[in-house]
Amino acid sequence: MATDAVALPLEEVVADAFAWVGSVGVETDGGRMWCEGDVPYDDLYCGTAGVLLGCAEAVDAGFDTRETATAARDRLVHLSGHPELAVLGEGDGLFDGWSGVAVALRAWARVADDGEGGHAADVVQEAVARRVLDEPTTDPARYTDVISGDAGLLLAMLPATSDRSVEAVNALADRLVAVAEPAPDGPDRGLQWRMLSSWKSLMPGFSHGTAGVAYALARVGHALGRDDLVEVAVRGAEALLVIGHRSTPWAIPSVLPVGDKGEQIAFGWCHGAAGTSRLFTLLDAVAPDPRWSRAVAACLDALRASRLPERLYPGYWDNLARCCGTASVGQVLLDHYQTTGERETLSWAGGLADDVLGRAGRVGPGLAWSNTEYTATPPDLPPEPGFMQGAVGIAAWLARLAALRRGGPDAVPPRDHPWV
């Protein structure tokens, strides 16, 4: 699926993408919800909450997303009083559960000065905090990760605005510290986390492993003045440095131990340098040490050396989205530009955007994107509207790029959710 979208003004592409996202919402209780394939969801990863979060990002960048945002916002506000109607994962996870609903509502409440939406976010967050405190302190079946587990809950609970939520945040953090393991080379080489304690494999990246857990502990430790949590996060980062320095350019395997096919290296937010760099950037701010800035530079060097978004071979770089694809890398580059003011980084993000624009397709009333599965026939997958694998996440990134090109590094306020 391709079009001449690369020749359109960036602002027009963004508007057309939001037009398509709004058009595929499904009318339901309270408002509208969005589907992955034929299945509607309310979550942050692919459903209603993610659409609202993308709308909030675009508003920050100066775009009008009110029609779509209102439909998503009304649905989530309705769910805060009728939780039995929600279509979410089994838990409260950030990307597949209730805590992501609170994140989206809070982001929209800020950009739209929406008091009712902010109250609904507080209602959801308090319900999640109650459930956290009612759960056993140790449970081998608990996930630790950012997507579904305790690390994601930690990020969603910030800012902790009540005594109950502060207590829940401390409980979650202590649980993560308790399940940390010594790195394979010994306890003096850092700490690591498994997604589940029973799993033999370990994913060191941001979405399901050590980088994401350490990031969450560093954020919470800094916010609550708990230096002990920041120190544990530092030890997690140290374990990643040991793994990464074994490769040239710097890279961490997606899964450890390495299997029969050798090291599987990714580059996106979920398992690669784009996500892992977020931990090092945060530590550079809250626990300054020259090794963190060197690690950020090493991650950027790895992204350059990857030659993305070139399709070097079938299956090499087939994703455009905010989780695993080009937009995840572009988002990191925009963050780096806003921190440093380096025009080269903004130009690099623009080059990635040009590739994404060239892969847009005219669908119904707007534009959308297809990720690729090279083993499928046809290889272009159906376009998705969601935040992490679909059009609203890509369009929100492009909206931010347009704003930064117009107004420089201070044109867009810091995001509520710097973890993606």
Side-chain angles (χ1 to χ4, degrees), residues 2 16 18 57 99 126 131 148 168 204 209 226 229 239 262 282 288 290 295 328-329 348 360:
D16 283 356
F18 274 97
E57 283 193 350
S99 62
E126 285 295 290
R131 288 192 286 271
S148 304
R226 285 191 57 179
L229 298 181
L282 176 60
S328 74
V329 178
W348 183 3

Side-chain angles (χ1 to χ4, degrees), residues 217-218 220-234 286-287:
L217 290 173
V220 169
H222 179 66
L224 299 186
R226 285 191 57 179
D227 293 341
D228 60 315
L229 298 181
V230 176
E231 179 54 34
V232 172
V234 165
V286 304

Side-chain angles (χ1 to χ4, degrees), residues 70 100 118 137 155 177 196 253 316 360 390 418:
T70 298
T137 53
L155 296 174
V177 172
L196 272 176
Y316 175 72

Side-chain angles (χ1 to χ4, degrees), residues 46-221:
C46 61
T48 312
V51 168
L52 186 59
L53 187 61
C55 288
E57 283 193 350
V59 168
D60 261 340
F63 288 81
D64 182 0
T65 64
R66 279 174 295 183
E67 195 280 331
T68 297
T70 298
R73 173 261 187 211
D74 289 352
R75 166 68 177 173
L76 298 183
V77 169
H78 185 70
L79 294 182
S80 71
H82 301 276
E84 73 281 359
L85 299 177
V87 184
L88 297 165
E90 293 183 1
D92 286 319
L94 173 55
F95 282 95
D96 59 1
W98 274 106
S99 62
V101 172
V103 165
L105 283 168
R106 190 180 301 119
W108 180 254
R110 178 182 62 79
V111 301
D113 193 22
D114 179 359
E116 184 182 16
H119 174 71
D122 291 341
V123 169
V124 174
Q125 181 166 315
E126 285 295 290
V128 172
R130 281 196 301 272
R131 288 192 286 271
V132 167
L133 295 173
D134 287 342
E135 292 166 347
T137 53
T138 58
D139 180 356
R142 284 197 65 82
Y143 289 93
T144 63
D145 67 321
V146 164
I147 294 288
S148 304
D150 285 350
L153 283 172
L154 270 180
L155 296 174
M157 296 293 284
L158 294 177
T161 55
S162 70
D163 290 344
R164 181 184 283 116
S165 60
V166 170
E167 186 181 357
V169 164
N170 280 300
L172 287 165
D174 291 340
R175 286 202 303 229
L176 287 171
V177 172
V179 297
E181 302 175 10
D185 294 328
D188 60 331
R189 308 305 296 274
L191 297 172
Q192 63 184 15
W193 285 265
R194 295 178 194 277
M195 187 174 169
L196 272 176
S197 61
S198 59
W199 284 19
K200 293 181 180 179
S201 61
L202 177 143
M203 289 173 279
F206 200 93
S207 62
H208 292 304
T210 299
V213 175
Y215 179 96
L217 290 173
R219 283 283 308 277
V220 169

Side-chain angles (χ1 to χ4, degrees), residues 234 237-238 241 245 250 277 279-299:
V234 165
E238 288 171 343
L241 290 181
H245 287 316
W250 192 94
S277 70
L279 169 61
F280 299 136
T281 299
L282 176 60
L283 289 178
D284 199 34
V286 304
D289 187 303
R291 57 188 168 163
W292 308 136
S293 59
R294 289 195 298 266
V296 172
C299 288

